[in-house]
Amino acid sequence: MKNVKRIQICNVPVDALTMEQTIELIDKSIERKESLHHVVVNAAKLVNAQKDLELRASIVDCDIINADGQSIVWAARYLKEYLPERVAGIDLMENLVGLAHKKKYKVFFLGAKEEVVAKVVQIYGKKYNQDIIAGFRNGYFGKEEELEIAHQIRDSSPDILFVAMSSPKKEIFLNKYKDEMQVPFIMGVGGSFDVVSGKIKRAPVWMQDIGLEWFFRTLQEPGRMWKRYLTTNIAFVTLLFRERRKLSKRR
């Protein structure tokens, strides 16, 4: 996007934007009916993008790339770059649902289990009104159904699409079908539907501020999460050390 500073962290681009600036850019894009593809990056996604070229391409092709995790903001400082703040995907989603109510935008919700996405729609419909709901669908489908789902989304004429699926599935799906769906604003939101529905709890603000959301999540699902986060965090720190050494040698 024009006039937006984009930095590089370990060969992955990130935009130096605040939450307020991000919302303003999105709102203008929706008003003009322009296509805008958004993504957030955290430590795990940055690590995976080093080897998963399809994932990296789907990130690079996005119009706005925000720092989802506090670790990305710290990583930028460590590499002598600057990001003003983290723009967490779930916080951005919540703000945009509020904006949809205010501006009479329509939202389509794709992802999670049927009972979870239905609960999310119910919660937002009650908090605001049902007029903001363009449609919804669970995130359990095969590749042979993808095009049909993209057309279902297009035919519901939403202004905003949130996709709550795991990475890299959501990034690749959005990048592959964004022209088919013809939605002004599209965004992957990971496990945000689970949080909104109450299926899982979000870390307290103080833990978010010191970069320990991953630890809080591990406490809730230790059997599934501890190995993933341990492996990713070690890889992330190692990657940053290597990148810092490269920068030092250049200088």
Side-chain angles (χ1 to χ4, degrees):
M1 307 237 355
K2 293 180 180 179
N3 303 319
V4 175
K5 182 181 179 182
R6 177 165 284 188
I7 69 169
Q8 295 283 329
I9 302 178
C10 302
N11 205 33
V12 174
V14 186
D15 293 321
L17 290 168
T18 65
M19 176 69 76
E20 184 178 354
Q21 290 169 333
T22 302
I23 294 170
E24 184 179 354
L25 288 170
I26 294 167
D27 190 22
K28 286 180 179 178
S29 179
I30 296 172
E31 284 181 346
R32 296 167 182 166
K33 296 295 182 182
E34 297 172 347
S35 176
L36 194 152
H37 185 181
H38 175 279
V39 71
V40 293
V41 293
N42 54 24
K45 196 176 294 183
L46 191 145
V47 168
N48 292 333
Q50 304 304 308
K51 294 183 178 180
D52 189 333
L53 298 182
E54 191 172 13
L55 171 60
R56 186 180 181 281
S58 69
I59 295 171
V60 172
D61 285 346
C62 287
D63 304 294
I64 296 179
I65 306 170
N66 281 137
D68 181 50
Q70 188 61 36
S71 60
I72 299 298
V73 177
W74 291 338
R77 294 174 189 168
Y78 181 69
L79 298 175
K80 308 300 182 182
E81 296 284 2
Y82 173 73
L83 292 173
E85 64 183 23
R86 68 180 296 218
V87 181
I90 185 170
D91 294 330
L92 180 58
M93 183 184 80
E94 296 264 51
N95 282 321
L96 291 177
V97 173
L99 181 71
H101 172 65
K102 181 180 177 182
K103 295 290 192 76
K104 294 182 169 53
Y105 296 148
K106 295 278 190 178
V107 184
F108 195 101
F109 299 85
L110 172 66
K113 293 182 178 179
E114 182 69 23
E115 61 270 23
V116 170
V117 66
K119 184 71 179 293
V120 169
V121 168
Q122 180 186 18
I123 289 170
Y124 284 140
K126 187 174 181 180
K127 184 176 181 179
Y128 300 107
N129 58 56
Q130 290 293 330
D131 292 341
I132 68 168
I133 310 299
F136 68 94
R137 193 200 188 284
N138 69 66
Y140 290 82
F141 52 84
K143 284 187 176 294
E144 69 282 358
E145 300 174 86
E146 289 180 350
L147 184 59
E148 179 185 345
I149 291 167
H151 288 166
Q152 177 190 349
I153 293 167
R154 179 198 63 196
D155 294 343
S156 68
S157 300
D159 301 291
I160 298 171
L161 168 65
F162 295 126
V163 178
M165 297 188 296
S166 60
S167 182
K169 183 178 179 180
K170 64 180 179 295
E171 289 85 5
I172 293 170
F173 174 84
L174 285 170
N175 200 42
K176 184 176 180 180
Y177 294 104
K178 57 187 175 184
D179 292 336
E180 289 282 350
M181 295 185 292
Q182 301 175 20
V183 182
F185 177 73
I186 59 176
M187 172 186 178
V189 295
S192 297
F193 290 4
D194 287 338
V195 176
V196 173
S197 69
K199 182 181 178 182
I200 63 172
K201 293 181 180 179
R202 193 177 180 194
V205 174
W206 69 267
M207 292 187 81
Q208 297 176 37
D209 290 341
I210 62 173
L212 285 178
E213 273 192 289
W214 65 271
F215 181 66
F216 187 82
R217 181 72 188 278
T218 301
L219 292 177
Q220 293 186 77
E221 298 181 272
R224 191 166 74 93
M225 292 296 182
W226 77 267
K227 188 174 181 180
R228 179 193 302 181
Y229 281 126
L230 178 64
T231 304
T232 299
N233 289 349
I234 292 173
F236 181 60
V237 172
T238 303
L239 190 63
L240 290 179
F241 279 140
R242 288 175 181 169
E243 192 70 14
R244 179 69 177 263
R245 282 203 303 269
K246 288 180 185 177
L247 292 174
S248 298
K249 288 178 180 179
R250 288 173 195 160
R251 290 168 182 160

